[in-house]
Every structure is written in structure tokens, then in C-alpha cells.
Amino acid sequence: MESVSPELLEILVCPETHQKLRRADEPLLARLRARQGEGRLLNRAGKPIPEAPHDALVREDNLFAYLVIDAIPVMLIEEAIPLDQLEAGRS
């Protein structure tokens, strides 16, 4: 699976806050995939994520993640995934 190059990751920032981004770790990606598999993973616009996430970039404050699709980061504010929805789904 191709991912974002380290050089690109170095210059990418959140389009809303300009915070730095980091790669999502595997435990977070697993939680995103599990919620998506349940049909309950929504983007900031409230739309469901149609495909299981394989890569994502997480904002420095850990509030939002941006999906990476075919090694291309989707850096649109409305497409960001609010990470607080993962906490709401925990028992």
C-alpha cells in the first residue's frame, strides 16, 4: 500500500487550523475501520465514509483525521473525520 511520502507529510498542515499532521497509527486505523464497517463512521459534513480507511493523517490536537486515498491526502475541511465519534462508540 502506497502512502504519503515523508517529504509531503513534512509540509502538509490542517487546512483549517494549520496544525501539523501525523500518520494515524494502526490501532486508530483499526477503530476507524471497525466503525466504518458498522456504517457509523461519518465525516465532518455528516456523510458516511463509504470505504474502509487504510491510511489517514491526524491533526496535532487529535480532534480530526484526514483520509489518504491512493496515496493522496483528502485535505478538505468537510471531509475530515471527527475523532470524538470513536469515543462515543466505546462501551
Side-chain angles (χ1 to χ4, degrees), residues 43-88:
N43 66 19
R44 199 168 184 177
K47 295 181 181 176
I49 303 301
E51 295 184 29
H54 296 287
D55 197 5
L57 301 176
V58 179
R59 201 165 81 179
E60 197 170 45
D61 62 9
N62 295 313
L63 294 180
F64 292 94
Y66 294 91
L67 294 182
V68 177
I69 300 172
D70 295 329
I72 300 170
V74 181
M75 302 300 298
L76 300 171
I77 293 171
E78 64 273 7
E79 294 292 329
I81 297 173
L83 296 178
D84 64 349
Q85 67 186 303
L86 299 178
E87 300 302 320

Side-chain angles (χ1 to χ4, degrees), residues 19-64:
Q19 293 178 51
K20 289 187 176 196
L21 301 167
R22 64 171 171 79
R23 278 198 170 86
D25 59 22
E26 189 51 44
L28 175 58
L29 288 170
R31 290 171 48 212
L32 290 169
R33 286 191 289 268
R35 190 157 178 105
Q36 188 277 336
E38 298 167 351
R40 299 186 310 129
L41 184 62
L42 305 176
N43 66 19
R44 199 168 184 177
K47 295 181 181 176
I49 303 301
E51 295 184 29
H54 296 287
D55 197 5
L57 301 176
V58 179
R59 201 165 81 179
E60 197 170 45
D61 62 9
N62 295 313
L63 294 180
F64 292 94

